[in-house]
Amino acid sequence: MTLGNNEKKMLRCMRSKEQHVWTLEELLQITQWNDQVHVAGAGKSLDENEFVETIEKNMKFVTLGSEGIKAIENGLLEERIWNWMISQTEKKRTMNELFDAGFERYEAGPGIGLLKSIGVSIENGIFTFDNEKEITNIISERVNFIEKISKEKKDFNNLDKELVEHFSGRKNLILIEEYIVREWKLTNKGINISDNELEEVELIGEITPEFLQKEGWENASYKEFDVNADTPIPVGGRPHPMQSLIERIRSVFLEMGFSEIEGNYVQSAGWNMDALFIPQSHPARTMQDTFYLDEPEKLDISDEMLDLWASVHENGHDTGSLGWGSKFDKEEAKKGLLRTHTTVNTVKYIAENPVKPSRVFGIGRVFRQETIDRTHLPEFHQIEGIIHEPNASLPMLISTLKTFYSKMGYPDVRVRPAYFPYTEPSVEVEVYWRGKWLELGGAGIFRPEVTEPLGSEWPVCAWGMGLERLAMLVLELDDIRELYQPDLERLSRMPIL
Ligand code: PHE
């Protein structure tokens, strides 16, 4: 081990008094360092190399607490009441007079209590005392004590034990702090090391191009770095992992040529469900699954749209379908709710752009009446998308989803047959992870019962996937709730996406 310049300097300074036990202050002064970190650092490595011995002492210091600071500003409570008391004529030494003099109830009670314990008593409502001088003395000792520690923290052992004990029993008057104080002393090895080993040399800590262009770099001495030394881990700001994931998904879809769309949380049952040919009797439409709103209780939907949905639901209109065969309730369609899926966004987009070929996606929050557990939340996010163009097809849908998941880092994707009231065929999308197929979402080709009332004549590839599911995969979590717990410690340890 070669000694660094700080270690050499500290040793040279300490050798001016070989047997001395050096305090931090003395070492700061003699080395002229202005940061105690240098003493601590050099001291530690000198100790490790047995040039010095570190002596650690547990020290207790007494300082003022918050009430103590107030007492310095306003006077100690018993002192203030006592000064009032001895300046009154005897019959005016009553509680009422004390209040009249401006003392608050919260002070008068404890203050009189303190005085009672040093010789004041109450007789027929009058405060009385025999030994004025003694009480004055006790109080001025207390005042001196807190004034003394207000100037600088005092060593516990050099203070009057009784007074420390007295003030410790009073709330927030004094604080007792414990520290470890270090001192350093040369060992024989430190005393005997030869002077020329303590000469400072210029150690190169940074190898820059400029340095290498100069003469002499071949013979320079280099600073040693201990790459295993402990260092503080910097806590910087970072986006929430969910936010980073959303950004990543967004950039993958943009890269694949999709445009982003958005929509409101508040929607009508008509657009959220009827437009998707979800029968009005569907169990998911009940209050157990959907959050219906009191305000707005109903939303406006054009009569034209309501008429179209009514005939599609009742008899299939001219889609070739038989519909559901039961009566369509237009009032039901107007009901306000919190969207239960983001498919409402893509459907509305088609209604607004029925003859424009488009590839759009959206990432948004959805709401369902779920009991919170390891895999369910009543608010979560979906990643939704459509391809709306003349040649849209199931293979196009599947390869698009495969491309998306491979770009996210999950190349093994498969689809299985599924059922949704609004798609035919319908599939479930699964991703392979750690030996298991995980279900991440649904997809399919919108049925004519959905697209025709919207004014579209093309097939639509559509999908909706759970963002939290994907997040659990990416962040390797097995409880969905962990994503939203405001535990900064855990969040900062989650991988950077
Ligand atoms: N909306 C479906 C869900 O919430 C997903 C889906 C979207 C299925 C589009 C098919 C087509 O699970």
Side-chain angles (χ1 to χ4, degrees):
M1 133 99 199
T2 55
L3 289 173
N5 286 336
N6 278 1
E7 285 82 11
K8 288 181 180 172
K9 181 165 188 184
M10 182 156 150
L11 266 188
R12 282 201 314 273
C13 290
M14 289 175 78
R15 274 148 56 105
S16 64
K17 287 194 233 165
E18 287 183 348
Q19 301 301 332
H20 188 63
V21 178
W22 296 80
T23 64
L24 175 67
E25 288 72 25
E26 288 170 330
L27 285 168
L28 281 174
Q29 203 186 15
I30 192 164
T31 55
Q32 295 187 317
W33 285 333
N34 49 22
D35 190 341
Q36 63 182 59
V37 164
H38 296 314
V39 177
K44 183 164 185 267
S45 88
L46 288 173
D47 183 299
E48 280 164 5
N49 292 290
E50 294 169 2
F51 292 109
V52 305
E53 184 191 336
T54 311
I55 300 144
E56 293 191 342
K57 283 192 209 156
N58 288 314
M59 297 282 280
K60 268 199 213 172
F61 291 102
V62 182
T63 56
L64 286 186
S66 53
E67 289 300 317
I69 294 168
K70 281 192 206 153
I72 291 292
E73 287 166 8
N74 311 327
L76 200 57
L77 180 58
E78 60 268 46
E79 177 196 17
R80 283 157 49 218
I81 299 185
W82 179 242
N83 288 343
W84 167 83
M85 211 176 266
I86 54 182
S87 64
Q88 303 300 306
T89 57
E90 202 184 321
K91 66 177 186 342
K92 281 196 157 183
R93 291 179 193 146
T94 64
M95 230 6 155
N96 280 338
E97 290 286 340
L98 182 63
F99 292 142
D100 285 348
F103 286 92
E104 300 287 341
R105 248 162 226 285
Y106 72 88
E107 317 183 290
I112 295 298
L114 286 163
L115 290 173
K116 273 178 158 178
S117 66
I118 52 176
V120 173
S121 52
I122 308 181
E123 277 165 29
N124 302 323
I126 306 271
F127 302 122
T128 58
F129 43 84
D130 293 330
N131 201 339
E132 180 177 332
K133 217 164 147 222
E134 195 186 307
I135 298 176
T136 303
N137 275 344
I138 297 176
I139 292 178
S140 64
E141 269 180 22
R142 290 184 184 172
V143 171
N144 289 341
F145 178 88
I146 61 162
E147 277 176 356
K148 189 159 79 181
I149 59 175
S150 78
K151 298 210 176 68
E152 57 172 348
K153 63 177 184 209
K154 291 278 179 239
D155 185 343
F156 180 89
N157 293 319
N158 298 337
L159 290 170
D160 183 289
K161 291 279 157 317
E162 255 174 56
L163 282 169
V164 173
E165 200 174 317
H166 167 76
F167 281 113
S168 304
R170 293 171 66 170
K171 210 169 166 210
N172 297 336
L173 258 144
I174 60 169
L175 298 174
I176 301 178
E177 294 167 357
E178 291 188 46
Y179 297 88
I180 296 179
V181 172
R182 296 192 174 80
E183 293 178 341
W184 294 267
K185 185 177 186 299
L186 286 174
T187 59
N188 284 338
K189 185 175 169 192
I191 293 170
N192 295 328
I193 184 171
S194 75
D195 280 342
N196 55 21
E197 281 188 70
L198 294 185
E199 258 164 50
E200 286 189 31
V201 282
E202 200 197 338
L203 294 177
I204 307 302
E206 218 178 328
I207 303 173
T208 59
E210 293 76 22
F211 170 71
L212 292 175
Q213 276 155 18
K214 274 193 265 167
E215 296 272 310
W217 61 268
E218 301 94 325
N219 302 318
S221 304
Y222 294 92
K223 194 168 171 162
E224 286 187 6
F225 287 94
D226 179 357
V227 292
N228 294 316
D230 289 337
T231 70
I233 295 171
V235 273
R238 56 169 290 186
H240 190 281
M242 285 301 278
Q243 201 55 47
S244 315
L245 182 63
I246 289 174
E247 289 303 332
R248 219 175 111 195
I249 294 168
R250 183 171 279 145
S251 59
V252 167
F253 275 120
L254 292 173
E255 190 178 294
M256 289 168 66
F258 284 74
S259 310
E260 187 166 0
I261 57 167
E262 275 181 336
N264 289 331
Y265 296 162
V266 174
Q267 297 288 349
S268 59
W271 282 107
N272 190 81
M273 295 147 177
D274 298 310
L276 286 158
F277 197 53
I278 299 175
Q280 290 194 319
S281 59
H282 195 284
R285 295 182 65 141
T286 63
M287 297 245 274
Q288 281 75 47
D289 289 299
T290 302
F291 291 108
Y292 287 94
L293 300 172
D294 287 337
E295 181 65 52
E297 200 191 339
K298 296 270 171 78
L299 278 89
D300 278 344
I301 299 174
S302 72
D303 286 336
E304 189 196 353
M305 210 65 244
L306 288 171
D307 286 339
L308 274 170
W309 291 338
S311 79
V312 169
H313 280 244
E314 285 171 11
N315 55 46
H317 191 54
D318 53 13
T319 61
S321 161
L322 295 178
W324 296 111
S326 51
K327 184 97 190 82
F328 185 84
D329 179 353
K330 291 182 182 169
E331 290 310 305
E332 179 65 35
K334 292 181 192 164
K335 278 189 182 168
L337 47 72
L338 292 177
R339 69 182 180 203
T340 60
H341 52 187
T342 41
T343 318
V344 59
N345 294 353
T346 45
V347 160
K348 277 187 150 177
Y349 184 84
I350 298 169
E352 284 155 17
N353 305 276
V355 294
K356 179 177 142 197
S358 46
R359 295 180 170 218
V360 297
F361 76 99
I363 304 164
R365 191 176 289 219
V366 300
F367 308 84
R368 292 182 193 173
Q369 298 233 23
E370 300 272 12
T371 310
I372 296 177
D373 64 24
R374 210 173 53 76
T375 52
H376 293 91
L377 291 174
E379 283 186 45
F380 56 99
H381 294 79
Q382 288 187 324
I383 313 161
E384 193 84 27
I386 50 167
I387 301 175
H388 177 219
E389 53 195 39
N391 298 322
S393 66
L394 188 66
M396 182 191 271
L397 171 62
I398 295 169
S399 64
T400 302
L401 293 175
K402 282 196 168 165
T403 308
F404 169 73
Y405 281 111
S406 339
K407 281 176 181 280
M408 292 299 295
Y410 301 92
D412 292 326
V413 180
R414 74 176 185 190
V415 295
R416 303 204 306 160
Y419 173 77
F420 299 101
Y422 34 99
T423 45
E424 180 59 37
S426 303
V427 294
E428 216 158 67
V429 186
E430 294 184 332
V431 165
Y432 194 69
W433 189 68
R434 293 204 174 159
K436 269 188 295 192
W437 287 98
L438 303 176
E439 192 199 312
L440 291 188
I445 307 291
F446 277 151
R447 298 174 71 105
E449 290 94 325
V450 174
T451 50
E452 279 196 19
L454 305 177
S456 160
E457 292 183 355
W458 302 324
V460 180
C461 302
W463 64 89
M465 303 171 295
L467 172 64
E468 280 77 2
R469 287 284 182 90
L470 186 62
M472 287 169 76
L473 204 84
V474 174
L475 299 169
E476 313 204 341
L477 305 176
D478 54 22
D479 189 326
I480 199 165
R481 291 167 291 199
E482 286 177 42
L483 292 171
Y484 295 110
Q485 247 131 33
D487 180 342
L488 293 183
E489 191 46 51
R490 277 196 80 117
L491 286 171
S492 67
R493 275 189 274 114
M494 285 192 187
I496 307 258
L497 300 176

